[in-house]
Amino acid sequence: MSRSGPLPFLRAAWIVAILACLYLPIVSVVLASLANSRYMRFPHRVWTLDAYREAVGFFQTWDLHLISLQIAAGVVALSVALGTLGAMAYARYDWRGRGLFRRLLVLPVFFPQPVLGLALLLSFTAAGVVPSWKTVVIAHAVWIVPIVTLVISIRLFGYDVAQEEAAFDLGATRLQVFREVTLPALWPGIFSGALFAFLLSWSNLPLSIYTSGPDTPLPVWLFSRVATNYAPLVPAIAVIGTIVSALVVLGLVGLRGALARLR
Amino acid sequence: MHAHPARPVALALAGLTRRFGALAAVDGVTLDIAEGEFVTIVGPSGSGKSTLVRLLAGLEAPSAGRLLLRGRDITGLPANRRPTAMVFQSLALFDHRTVGQNIEFALKMKGVAPKPRRDRALELLRLVRLPEDYYGRPVTQCSGGERQRVAMARALASDPEILFLDEPLSAIDYRLRKTLEVELKELHQRTGKTFVYITHSLEEAMVMSDRIAVMRAGRFVQVGSPEEIYRRPVNRFVAAFMGEVNILAVEGGVLSGLGLAVPDAAGPFAVLRPEALRLDGGALGVEAEVAQTLLLGSRVQYHLRAGGQALIAEVPAGGRALLGPGDRARFGFDAADIAWVAE
């Protein structure tokens, strides 16, 4: 391929265009948050950070984040624990009903989320459970555990189970086998699974909207305030939420790097 | 089935049995393995040899029978508490670790400090003839033969009393396998350890073993030196397992397919090795027509037809012109070349 001519230029332009399409909505949210009027008009007459000042001082901003973080943490813990066990059962052992398990496992992923959310709310009510952020954890888990299980089980294909027997034969206890062989092999899958679980839970609206009861996760609040009573405060909190989730992800990646260096 | 009389028994198998439901994969196996002996258990797939080695290593518990290590009953001891080590068919190296970490694993589990661990690993690298700078290399960057050696070094690290090898050469190509067979034999001599080797290839067993146990349907069919197994197979199964062989039915003292009377017929079947048939001499002989000629390097193999009977003969290739398809010749042998088997 020649390095001269219009081809490299066209290729670069194409990539820039794709990136622009991806980031333009996010940039628009940032721009919207810099206004002081509840009517969207562009360019703004007044550019201001007032919305951010208000958001930071507004106790509900941090309440929303806390609830969403609580939910996401619960979902990550639950889906990594169940996903790891499910993936090991699926990938390591050949048992009756294994194929059926795989099909049943991914079924919730295909189910429309608003319907799933309503169904879960009806189930909670029927069971006499009062909706709160805890029921949201369960609702998210229904949808996210299958995904995390699949992500982790990908790591287990091509994993030689004989490694565990070899470790056992070389004098390791069952616990040491898990710590020295199984966990390091699974770890990348568990890490990606945890990231998926966090991000999917953090941004989930359709399940949260039905099952959160009096607790309000961030996306639910954003949705309701966009629909009614819009103000630049809404995009400002959306931007803060994006930054918080980005920091959590960066923190997890940094933690992983630190752990890898420790080994 | 007794071990070498001069040496003490390292491992005694007494009626070892493993049942899976109604099926006995290992069915009452008894054998004494001597200190420092190289014993090979050979059998076709499904003969129970892999289950047997898992019983010996402690990865599986027997349904019945006992296992004695230097006189101590270890039947109930799990693999991690047995002073034995195993080289796995897939090698089962720890993929996310370096060569050094793999070799040191058993010592790390024992709580040995890093410095002596490293010294031992380097010593083992020398033993298996790998350069010392392989210590820090990820095992994923090693070739097939190098991985093989790392697996050997890892198994030997904790100085096991017995080494079990479960078809470790099965995934390696022919030429490298031949080299590694010789190396393994040398390693056995250098370490002086008891080796129990599992394979489906009797050819492999022949090269390395002091003693061979031929296994079929969970039982030992024959146990003996390579020469005994080769020259005096106890039945047609063992004879055929050794490679291409002529098995002739005998009726009334006559090799029925050839119509040839043999003195002192001692069984219903005569086993005749291809190399026993030769182009000169022999008290007995058959006129045969060559159907096919296969040059195997230093030897030539003739597929023959004598009457209605197909025969295989293998003679040295040098000296005379090769026979071609359609040529006729007399192939001779002696009565002493025949191994008589009952079944």
Side-chain angles (χ1 to χ4, degrees):
Chain A
M1 219 190 284
S2 148
R3 286 192 62 82
S4 60
L7 202 63
F9 170 75
L10 283 175
R11 196 162 48 210
W14 176 241
I15 291 168
V16 168
I18 288 175
L19 287 176
C21 287
L22 281 174
Y23 280 92
L24 211 58
I26 298 172
V27 173
S28 322
V29 172
V30 175
L31 289 176
S33 69
L34 297 173
N36 67 347
S37 152
R38 42 188 307 225
Y39 305 103
M40 295 214 201
R41 208 182 306 135
F42 199 77
H44 305 315
R45 280 209 204 110
V46 186
W47 294 80
T48 171
L49 288 170
D50 279 354
Y52 286 93
R53 256 174 237 121
E54 191 190 346
V56 171
F58 185 38
F59 83 94
Q60 207 184 357
T61 309
W62 306 113
D63 212 31
L64 297 170
H65 279 89
L66 201 65
I67 285 172
S68 272
L69 279 175
Q70 260 175 335
I71 294 167
V75 172
V76 167
L78 198 62
S79 55
V80 163
L82 292 178
T84 304
L85 296 176
M88 279 167 75
Y90 176 65
R92 282 181 43 183
Y93 305 105
D94 200 1
W95 36 282
R96 223 184 350 188
R98 187 165 164 244
L100 188 68
F101 172 73
R102 194 189 66 206
R103 279 175 216 119
L104 286 177
L105 186 69
V106 292
L107 206 60
V109 179
F110 291 105
F111 215 66
Q113 283 191 63
V115 182
L116 187 62
L118 180 62
L120 283 164
L121 175 62
L122 293 173
S123 312
F124 288 139
T125 316
V129 178
V130 181
S132 70
W133 68 269
K134 289 172 201 147
T135 49
V136 183
V137 172
I138 306 288
H140 284 189
V142 169
W143 196 68
I144 292 171
V145 168
I147 297 171
V148 174
T149 309
L150 289 179
V151 168
I152 296 175
S153 62
I154 289 166
R155 283 295 306 185
L156 278 172
F157 292 119
Y159 166 68
D160 185 4
V161 185
Q163 285 184 56
E164 292 178 9
E165 289 193 328
F168 187 59
D169 184 57
L170 291 168
T173 61
R174 296 282 177 201
L175 190 68
Q176 281 172 321
V177 170
F178 182 76
R179 207 181 58 209
E180 300 282 339
V181 178
T182 318
L183 196 60
L186 279 183
W187 176 238
I190 290 176
F191 182 78
S192 336
L195 273 191
F196 264 105
F198 173 77
L199 291 172
L200 289 173
S201 166
W202 181 259
S203 60
N204 186 284
L205 173 68
L207 293 171
S208 305
I209 216 166
Y210 284 100
T211 52
S212 57
D215 295 329
T216 313
L218 190 58
V220 174
W221 185 86
L222 291 173
F223 175 72
S224 59
R225 283 296 296 265
V226 169
T228 61
N229 203 9
Y230 173 84
L233 177 70
V234 178
I237 290 181
V239 170
I240 291 172
T242 309
I243 291 168
V244 168
S245 73
L247 286 177
V248 170
V249 171
L250 285 176
L252 284 175
V253 172
L255 189 71
R256 184 194 184 193
L259 282 176
R261 249 170 280 123
L262 250 169
R263 278 186 175 278
Chain B
M1 297 194 187
H2 292 289
H4 198 284
R7 287 184 288 191
V9 174
L11 190 67
L13 290 60
L16 221 49
T17 300
R18 177 70 171 106
R19 289 187 205 93
F20 295 105
L23 174 89
V26 175
D27 194 2
V29 163
T30 297
L31 181 69
D32 284 352
I33 296 169
E35 205 73 61
E37 201 179 12
F38 196 130
V39 171
T40 300
I41 296 163
V42 60
S45 57
S47 59
K49 59 187 190 302
S50 288
T51 306
L52 177 58
V53 78
R54 291 174 63 80
L55 293 178
L56 299 184
L59 292 168
E60 231 160 285
S63 317
R66 292 202 310 154
L67 194 61
L68 300 156
L69 181 73
R70 290 177 174 164
R72 186 163 68 103
D73 192 328
I74 58 161
T75 316
L77 228 52
N80 60 348
R81 289 173 53 205
R82 287 188 187 185
T84 59
M86 173 142 143
V87 178
F88 287 74
Q89 183 166 16
S90 66
L91 300 184
L93 295 178
F94 306 130
D95 282 334
H96 56 281
R97 287 164 189 262
T98 62
V99 169
Q101 287 170 331
N102 264 276
I103 298 175
E104 286 176 9
F105 188 85
L107 301 174
K108 191 180 170 193
M109 293 304 106
K110 277 187 178 171
V112 177
K115 173 74 173 82
R117 235 155 62 190
R118 190 188 150 89
D119 291 344
R120 175 73 177 144
L122 293 175
E123 185 189 327
L124 284 158
L125 280 175
R126 284 192 295 274
L127 181 73
V128 299
R129 310 253 149 93
L130 278 175
E132 285 191 5
D133 60 341
Y134 270 54
Y135 181 85
R137 188 173 290 205
V139 280
T140 45
Q141 283 177 21
C142 293
S143 71
E146 288 162 359
R147 288 171 67 84
Q148 182 64 46
R149 284 172 230 204
V150 174
M152 290 295 302
R154 183 180 70 175
L156 287 168
S158 63
D159 203 19
E161 292 179 28
I162 301 182
L163 196 63
F164 302 114
L165 303 108
D166 183 11
E167 305 202 44
L169 303 182
S170 60
I172 289 173
D173 67 79
Y174 183 81
R175 278 180 61 185
L176 182 57
R177 196 164 69 226
K178 290 287 138 199
T179 315
L180 289 171
E181 279 171 12
V182 176
E183 274 189 28
L184 205 60
K185 183 75 194 161
E186 281 172 10
L187 191 65
H188 173 246
Q189 281 156 359
R190 281 204 298 276
T191 58
K193 288 199 180 298
T194 311
F195 278 33
V196 178
Y197 193 91
I198 307 293
T199 181
H200 61 268
S201 153
L202 201 50
E203 193 193 341
E204 208 170 284
M206 285 286 176
V207 179
M208 296 186 286
S209 322
D210 298 324
R211 239 170 4 137
I212 296 173
V214 183
M215 202 170 177
R216 183 196 195 183
R219 293 165 186 266
F220 286 161
V221 184
Q222 188 173 7
V223 180
S225 71
E227 201 185 344
E228 275 166 28
I229 302 269
Y230 189 76
R231 294 200 191 283
R232 297 281 161 243
V234 294
N235 60 22
R236 283 184 289 166
F237 170 78
V238 175
F241 201 63
M242 281 301 305
E244 284 168 302
V245 67
N246 301 298
I247 298 175
L248 306 162
V250 183
E251 273 167 40
V254 174
L255 298 178
S256 52
L258 300 173
L260 186 69
V262 278
D264 311 323
F269 296 100
V271 175
L272 196 56
R273 293 274 156 215
E275 67 271 22
L277 288 164
R278 48 192 189 271
L279 281 162
D280 39 20
L284 301 164
V286 284
E287 277 294 320
E289 185 189 327
V290 174
Q292 212 170 36
T293 304
L294 303 173
L295 185 59
L296 309 174
S298 64
R299 305 183 69 75
V300 60
Q301 195 179 71
Y302 293 117
H303 289 236
L304 307 169
R305 262 194 302 271
Q309 179 75 44
L311 287 174
I312 297 172
E314 224 176 272
V315 300
R320 68 172 80 204
L322 299 185
L323 300 170
D327 290 348
R328 299 188 68 85
R330 178 184 182 275
F331 284 84
F333 60 97
D334 290 308
D337 295 327
I338 297 174
W340 300 100
V341 297
E343 48 167 358

